Amino acid sequence: MSRYARQMILPDVGTEGQERLARAHVLVVGAGGLGCPVLLYLGAAGVGRITVMDGDMVEESNLHRQVLYTMGDLGRPKAAAARRQLLAANPSLQVTAQVAPLDAANAAGMVAAADLVVDAADSFAVSYVLSDACRQQGKVLISASALGQSGYAGGFCGGGPSLRAVFPDLPARAATCATAGVMGPSVGMIGALQAQLALKSLLNHQPSPRGQLFVFRLEDLQVSSFRFDEAEEPEGALPVVAASQITAADTVIELRDAAEAPGLPAPRARRIARADLLTAELPTKGRIVLCCRTGLRAWAAAAELKAAGYGNLALLAAGHSA
């Protein structure tokens, strides 16, 4: 146990706490800028079993912030490359690589197998899917988002308020690291905090990370936090579905034009621009599934349809950055 000696000296860790970490199974969704420090610190702390889930490949433009990878990892699946690096640093771990994106179809099973879930995907569609699954199963979710020099991290679900309770609405516009940029140390700080919150939750430290949100505005050198233990769950939350969950009874609407999305997300799907949606002939019965790349246009379109009297709506994010 010499590897963890300095950690076990802490009175609130000790031998019992270290054994608890060794028995724990953490699901980390996303092996990018947030996921890299999360995985490094959870592995170094001795979390015995880690499942890392990511469908993306390592690219050279990732390397300034995704410090788990090297030039030798270019073109490899992030999940597999992360597993190799974690085991090289700590061979006693059990690390499983899932080279696939998380969606509404596989989320419940992935969450059920874990003791705690870390959302490091930096995708609101994935975050909401994970939050819904964790809330239903009573699992703690440590979720974060980072862009530019700003972001947040907090503890959700597990008997406390969900992510939807704190963020019931989406932003009007989407930005990504590719379009807006990101500073490596900023996303690294937030990912490291996620690892700290995950460890404190596994060790049952008080105050609990569940119900606590940290907000980073590093462009102004500001960090703040607040508790949201009494936040109420929103009513009529728009569900996020996977393509495999679409049925023949659903009306699927692709909001993207043919240049942006040459293929349709489902058989018999209709391509309707958002501007034409309210004047289109839509069924008043059955579910309407709205599809775009990130889900933002679908979210806004669903709000307009809901105001127009349509009730059974769902969102499909057909492609999003992790």
Side-chain angles (χ1 to χ4, degrees), residues 128-263:
Y128 279 11
V129 166
L130 280 174
S131 179
D132 292 345
C134 286
R135 183 186 178 208
Q136 184 177 18
Q137 299 184 31
K139 301 289 180 70
V140 172
L141 171 69
I142 306 298
S143 182
S145 179
L147 190 68
Q149 299 181 63
S150 301
Y152 69 82
F156 305 88
C157 304
S162 72
L163 189 78
R164 289 183 185 264
V166 182
F167 300 104
D169 297 310
L170 296 182
R173 295 183 179 181
T176 67
C177 293
T179 61
V182 62
M183 289 196 74
S186 299
V187 70
M189 287 176 62
I190 297 173
L193 176 59
Q194 279 189 282
Q196 177 74 2
L197 297 178
L199 292 173
K200 289 181 72 66
S201 182
L202 291 171
L203 293 166
N204 198 29
H205 286 175
Q206 299 300 321
S208 173
R210 184 188 63 205
Q212 182 86 24
L213 188 76
F214 296 83
V215 180
F216 293 77
R217 299 182 181 89
L218 295 176
E219 63 269 40
D220 299 320
L221 297 179
Q222 294 183 357
V223 180
S224 60
S225 68
F226 62 89
R227 295 204 64 84
F228 56 89
D229 302 273
E230 305 303 321
E232 297 183 0
E233 299 295 332
E235 297 182 1
L238 183 67
V240 181
V241 301
S244 61
Q245 294 175 321
I246 293 174
T247 71
D250 292 330
T251 298
V252 182
I253 298 174
E254 171 61 78
L255 297 172
R256 297 172 291 180
D257 60 28
E260 185 181 358

Side-chain angles (χ1 to χ4, degrees), residues 1 3-4 7 17-27 39 41-52 83 86-87 90-96 113 115 199 202-203:
M1 276 290 188
R3 174 187 290 266
Y4 310 115
Q7 183 166 278
Q18 194 62 50
E19 291 175 350
R20 181 179 297 179
L21 294 180
R23 294 192 300 268
H25 178 197
V26 176
L27 168 65
L39 291 164
Y41 280 113
L42 292 185
V47 173
R49 186 178 174 196
I50 298 172
T51 296
V52 53
R83 178 183 183 275
L86 292 182
L87 291 177
N90 192 347
S92 66
L93 304 177
Q94 295 183 50
V95 184
T96 301
D115 299 311
L199 292 173
L202 291 171
L203 293 166

Side-chain angles (χ1 to χ4, degrees), residues 249-251 283-288 312-313:
D250 292 330
T251 298
T284 56
K285 295 183 179 181
R287 185 172 67 171
I288 298 176
N312 194 357
L313 304 165

